[in-house]
Amino acid sequence: MERLDLYKCDICGNVVEVILNGNGELVCCGQPMKKMEAQQQEEAMMEKHIPVFVSLDDGYQEVRVGEVLHPMLPEHYIMFIETISKDKSQTQLKFLKPGEEPKMLLKDSFGEAIAREYCSIHGLWQSK
């Protein structure tokens, strides 16, 4: 278990992010939680889930989910976007709701970073 790993309960769907790691095991609903592994490649016919870093005209950056934005329907949407610095010392997290655009404006430059997002149907995805 490492800092910023994500774990999910297969029974109730709870998702937990490790802030400080210890020696214990994460348990929910009476069973060990499973570490989530981010997908990084998509098949050509699937919807777009890969987070994309985009430079804006005003000098800021944003993360968009998919080159073509992911749908944001009540039954299928991006639940959150998170950016993490290479050394895992900084993060930025945005929770989303159906109807919102799956975008996050970056407040700070992390230098080299990863972005990850969680789709309500297709799970965890990430890119650099």
Side-chain angles (χ1 to χ4, degrees), residues 59-70:
Y60 287 98
Q61 278 195 320
E62 75 178 3
V63 175
R64 298 177 184 173
V65 179
E67 291 180 25
V68 174
L69 291 179
H70 188 282

Side-chain angles (χ1 to χ4, degrees), residues 12-72:
C12 72
N14 276 337
V15 174
V16 174
E17 183 173 62
V18 176
I19 302 299
L20 299 172
N21 56 321
N23 295 324
E25 180 177 45
L26 295 175
V27 176
C28 187
C29 297
Q31 72 179 30
M33 297 180 82
K34 292 185 180 173
K35 181 180 174 186
M36 297 174 68
E37 299 294 338
Q39 300 176 70
Q40 298 181 29
Q41 291 185 325
E42 295 183 280
E43 296 177 21
M45 298 305 290
M46 286 190 67
E47 293 180 58
K48 300 299 181 195
H49 289 92
I50 302 295
V52 178
F53 288 90
V54 177
S55 295
L56 303 176
D57 292 338
D58 58 8
Y60 287 98
Q61 278 195 320
E62 75 178 3
V63 175
R64 298 177 184 173
V65 179
E67 291 180 25
V68 174
L69 291 179
H70 188 282
M72 295 295 284

Side-chain angles (χ1 to χ4, degrees), residues 8 12 30-31 44 64 70 82-83 102 106 109 111 118:
K8 184 175 182 180
C12 72
Q31 72 179 30
R64 298 177 184 173
H70 188 282
E82 183 176 36
T83 54
L106 299 180
S109 174
Y118 186 72

Side-chain angles (χ1 to χ4, degrees), residues 48-112:
K48 300 299 181 195
H49 289 92
I50 302 295
V52 178
F53 288 90
V54 177
S55 295
L56 303 176
D57 292 338
D58 58 8
Y60 287 98
Q61 278 195 320
E62 75 178 3
V63 175
R64 298 177 184 173
V65 179
E67 291 180 25
V68 174
L69 291 179
H70 188 282
M72 295 295 284
L73 307 170
E75 65 278 3
H76 183 197
Y77 68 102
I78 302 304
M79 300 178 86
F80 68 82
I81 302 170
E82 183 176 36
T83 54
I84 303 169
S85 64
K86 184 177 180 179
D87 65 0
K88 296 185 178 182
S89 67
Q90 297 180 55
T91 66
Q92 184 176 326
L93 176 67
K94 181 178 181 181
F95 292 100
L96 300 163
K97 298 178 285 200
E100 293 182 311
E101 286 192 312
K103 298 178 180 182
M104 178 175 71
L105 183 64
L106 299 180
K107 296 177 184 172
D108 298 308
S109 174
F110 292 172
E112 190 175 333

